[in-house]
Amino acid sequence: MDRLDAMKVFVLAVDEGSLAAAGRKLGRSPAAVSRAIAFLEERVGAELLHRTTRSIKLSEEGERYVAICRRVLTELEEADDIAAGPRSAPRGLLTITAPVVSGEMVLRPILDAFLDACPTVSAKLLLFDRAVNLIEEGIDIALRIGPLADSAMVAMRVGEISRVVVAAPRYLKQHPRITEPGDLAKHQIVAMAHLPNSWTFAPQAGGAVPRTVQFTPRLIVNSTYAAVASAVAGRGVARMYSYQVAEQVGRGELEIVLAGEKDPEMPAHLICPQGRLSVPKVRAFTDFAVPRLKKHFAQLKKCVSAQ
């Protein structure tokens, strides 16, 4: 059996979550998929997958091995594309990751337009609110919000964002004015579940100690969409990233309060592993997406700054 083919089968089985699903996608029987994985297990001398009749789960050895397989297969695809020359047409599967909300709100419409423009490329968009290892997980491109920790990646800056405090106009009319962070303790707060009982603001001018406001939330949610909707409905004051509320602020459904207390801006980047930009599908997407992302983030920033 061909080892590279078996690696492809193994990776697809992991991605699809079952041998049967991988078989359907490959046009092979579950037994054929199982044989390919058994072939790899025999070669490495370890069980890679714990199998049941309905599902599979990676073993500890399997978790390490699937990362290696992804890297090998990606590098082979990259070698083929580079050998074809810089003028070769973009083709194949493009894998992109982003945080959930920015991926849905900002990146997905741009990806849709790219797929319309490049019919020979297909895409997988993976949205996670966690750190993703691009190389180990076989990712071509990522949208990252915030400072970059991995200097081994090629980074293309596409904009800046900050956190803002917002509330519905009718809520603000019915409650005391908010002129400084300490005033928030008197208000109904819509808080995110990961930080439900306090917000921290930059030090006062000339100071060095950040200001933390403690409160008892009226509503705690673990969904950005729910927090924004609740703020629009007048449930209370929320603190969100600027791109998450720009449309609502632009429509007058939310107002920014404490505008002078915005956090320092954080960068937004597209990043990809070293060498991937030479792959036609990756280069084509970055050439397409970077100017559109820059324009989009600039428009969102202008909308929020107008407040």
Side-chain angles (χ1 to χ4, degrees):
M1 182 174 291
D2 181 83
R3 190 178 357 169
L4 287 176
D5 182 69
M7 285 182 173
K8 292 177 183 177
V9 172
F10 173 51
V11 170
L12 186 59
V14 172
D15 290 344
E16 294 295 316
S18 75
L19 303 185
R24 286 193 295 270
K25 198 154 190 177
L26 292 167
R28 305 183 191 182
S29 68
V33 173
S34 183
R35 284 195 298 272
I37 295 170
F39 166 76
L40 291 178
E41 290 176 326
E42 183 177 356
R43 285 193 63 91
V44 301
E47 185 181 38
L48 301 175
L49 291 176
H50 302 305
R51 305 166 179 79
T52 68
T53 55
R54 294 188 177 181
S55 65
I56 56 176
K57 182 179 179 181
L58 282 167
S59 66
E60 185 176 343
E61 294 83 0
E63 288 182 357
R64 293 194 295 267
Y65 193 67
V66 76
I68 295 169
C69 289
R70 292 187 196 279
R71 186 162 62 247
V72 168
L73 295 172
T74 296
E75 289 176 354
L76 282 173
E77 179 189 4
E78 178 180 327
D80 289 343
D81 287 337
I82 292 173
R87 296 183 180 179
S88 61
R91 60 181 177 82
L93 177 65
L94 181 72
T95 305
I96 305 172
T97 189
V100 173
V101 178
S102 58
E104 292 180 358
M105 295 177 62
V106 179
L107 192 58
R108 186 200 53 77
I110 292 174
L111 178 58
D112 287 347
F114 173 74
L115 293 175
D116 289 340
C118 292
T120 55
V121 176
S122 56
K124 180 189 294 183
L125 178 60
L126 304 174
L127 304 180
F128 303 115
D129 286 328
R130 64 170 175 84
V132 176
N133 187 307
L134 272 61
I135 295 175
E136 290 186 0
E137 300 190 40
I139 307 294
D140 294 306
I141 303 169
L143 174 64
R144 290 277 170 87
I145 305 296
L148 297 177
D150 192 345
S151 60
M153 297 289 157
V154 176
M156 295 150 278
R157 189 161 179 147
V158 293
E160 298 79 33
I161 66 167
S162 60
R163 284 190 298 182
V164 293
V165 179
V166 294
R170 64 179 177 276
Y171 173 89
L172 295 173
K173 289 179 182 178
Q174 297 168 2
H175 293 82
R177 290 186 62 191
I178 303 173
T179 59
E180 60 180 32
D183 293 336
L184 294 168
K186 308 170 188 175
H187 284 262
Q188 298 179 30
I189 302 295
V190 179
M192 297 297 293
H194 65 281
L195 193 64
N197 298 317
S198 67
W199 291 339
T200 299
F201 294 84
Q204 287 182 317
V209 180
R211 291 167 291 169
T212 298
V213 179
Q214 301 285 341
F215 48 73
T216 300
R218 184 70 188 278
L219 176 64
I220 300 173
V221 297
N222 68 344
S223 160
T224 298
Y225 290 110
V228 173
S230 294
V232 169
R235 292 292 94 199
V237 182
R239 195 183 195 196
M240 313 300 298
Y241 286 117
S242 52
Y243 68 86
Q244 296 169 345
V245 295
E247 291 184 10
Q248 291 79 6
V249 170
R251 293 196 296 261
E253 297 171 346
L254 292 173
E255 291 183 12
I256 294 175
V257 297
L258 299 176
E261 303 289 349
K262 292 178 184 175
D263 287 352
E265 290 183 332
M266 293 186 296
H269 292 90
L270 279 185
I271 66 171
C272 68
Q274 292 281 355
R276 294 300 288 164
L277 276 180
S278 58
V279 178
K281 65 183 179 184
V282 177
R283 169 58 69 183
F285 180 76
T286 56
D287 288 347
F288 186 91
V290 166
R292 288 165 174 81
L293 284 169
K294 286 182 176 179
K295 181 179 179 181
H296 187 78
F297 278 113
Q299 289 173 337
L300 293 179
K301 183 176 179 179
K302 182 178 180 180
C303 179
V304 171
S305 298
Q307 285 274 303

